[in-house]
Amino acid sequence: MATEAPRDARPLTVPDVRKRKGSGTPLVMVTAYDAPTARVADAADVDLILVGDSLAMVVLGYDDTLQVTIDDMAHHVAAVARARPRPLVVGDMPWMSFHLSTDDTVRNAAKLVRAGAGAVKLEGGRKRLDAVRAIVDAEIPVMGHLGLTPQSVHALGGFRVQGKELDAARAIVDDATALAEAGCFAIVLECVPDAVARVVTEAVPVPTIGIGAGRHCDGQVLVFHDLVGLDDRVTPRFVRRYAELKHDATVAVARFANDVRNGTFPSSKETYHVADDLTAAIGIYGATNAEADATT
Ligand code: KIV
């Protein structure tokens, strides 16, 4: 009988991720924002966990990602890291955490590493090379992020597919090449046409990880809550839902509410009891355990 190969228990490292370029085995990344979702990602054997600044919209209820701070991100990176997952934990640098000065940038990247991240991610291309170089110089691995960069939502005029025009496509390829040269160990490509993602993937020596960027990338990432159907308010074209957890959770909570209201929860089995003689002695219930059991 065939047995499953034992899972490598060693945590995944940046060099492991880097080596996957051209290996034929795509990288798998999901977002997670807390210990339980990190445990799910770990048990599902993904390669990378991204504590994304999508935290703002997915978990904290904001309309965009501009509201989260480096301290918010560190708080959630730490929660993920406490689960001690095998996948590489990547902490997202939020808006304004890498825009002011290189000192401030490096200090903020270090906050995420001290919270438990093995690498950080930041949005932007050639404009952000100083930031990338400074963080890499501090021995912190950096993942780039090009295409639809949600922190630029106002400048971009909304959450739209990027790189549809020739100049814009060329700019993404040039940005990717510059990021790789500056030391990024991987690059997320978000919401770009598949042909553009393919050219980028062929142009850079580091893995590309796509979200809404087609199948030619070296890996794929999805937001946890989208892929398990915990957030069903908007389903972008690139999301494939593998579960309907919001529906399942709503049904479960409604059943609980119903059981409470009709008196069937908690049952005797779901209740702590004292011995019958003590019950009688202190006259708590006026019913023996057997009588109580019979009523539930
Ligand atoms: O914040 C995030 O979740 C991300 C992914 C969409 C790549 O940056």
Side-chain angles (χ1 to χ4, degrees):
M1 197 176 69
T3 52
E4 231 175 80
R7 203 168 77 123
D8 187 354
R10 187 177 62 84
L12 225 83
T13 64
V14 166
D16 294 331
V17 170
R18 181 70 187 70
K19 270 190 241 149
R20 293 276 286 277
K21 177 80 185 180
S23 70
T25 308
L27 289 160
V28 180
M29 180 160 87
V30 293
T31 65
Y33 313 96
D34 54 26
T37 50
R39 283 187 203 109
V40 171
D42 186 16
D45 205 14
V46 305
D47 301 305
L48 302 105
I49 291 176
L50 171 65
V51 188
D53 65 351
S54 52
L55 165 75
M57 299 167 80
V58 176
V59 173
L60 302 181
Y62 293 116
D63 289 335
D64 56 44
T65 60
L66 307 180
Q67 310 303 329
V68 286
T69 64
I70 192 70
D71 291 334
D72 294 329
M73 293 306 304
H75 181 72
H76 287 265
V77 166
V80 165
R82 271 180 223 118
R84 301 200 167 281
R86 179 182 167 270
L88 177 68
V89 176
V90 181
D92 220 354
M93 305 265 311
W95 183 58
M96 279 298 128
S97 70
F98 56 99
H99 304 72
L100 302 180
S101 70
T102 48
D103 280 3
D104 188 52
T105 297
V106 174
R107 214 170 282 122
N108 286 329
K111 274 193 185 176
L112 299 187
V113 171
R114 289 203 169 118
V120 301
K121 174 170 86 57
L122 61 80
E123 295 183 7
R126 282 161 289 178
K127 266 200 257 182
R128 302 298 162 210
L129 294 183
D130 285 347
V132 171
R133 287 195 194 103
I135 301 171
V136 170
D137 199 44
E139 315 300 345
I140 300 171
V142 181
M143 177 180 282
H145 183 158
L146 295 171
L148 171 56
T149 45
Q151 291 169 16
S152 315
V153 59
H154 297 308
L156 296 176
F159 298 109
R160 304 173 200 287
V161 177
Q162 301 295 307
K164 284 164 86 176
E165 313 295 333
L166 185 59
D167 284 354
R170 280 197 179 128
I172 293 173
V173 178
D174 291 346
D175 279 340
T177 308
L179 286 179
E181 277 169 7
C184 284
F185 74 97
I187 300 171
V188 167
L189 296 175
E190 178 166 356
C191 287
V192 297
D194 57 349
V196 176
R198 183 178 204 158
V199 174
V200 172
T201 301
E202 285 168 5
V204 295
V206 298
T208 57
I209 303 180
I211 175 162
R215 62 193 176 84
H216 303 297
C217 297
D218 299 301
Q220 298 291 331
V221 51
L222 280 180
V223 167
F224 180 89
H225 292 56
D226 290 340
L227 89 88
V228 300
L230 254 181
D231 195 343
D232 60 359
R233 290 168 301 168
V234 186
T235 305
R237 170 194 180 114
F238 56 79
V239 169
R240 187 179 294 178
R241 281 230 208 118
Y242 291 88
E244 298 294 342
L245 293 197
K246 181 178 171 199
H247 172 264
D248 294 351
T250 307
V251 169
V253 175
R255 286 181 56 201
F256 167 63
N258 195 44
D259 287 353
V260 170
R261 289 179 187 134
N262 68 25
T264 60
F265 181 88
S267 70
S268 177
K269 267 196 203 146
E270 290 152 342
T271 303
Y272 299 108
H273 300 289
V274 293
D276 280 344
D277 53 349
L278 188 59
T279 307
I282 51 182
I284 304 172
Y285 301 115
T288 64
N289 288 327
E291 284 164 345
D293 283 349
T295 62
T296 50

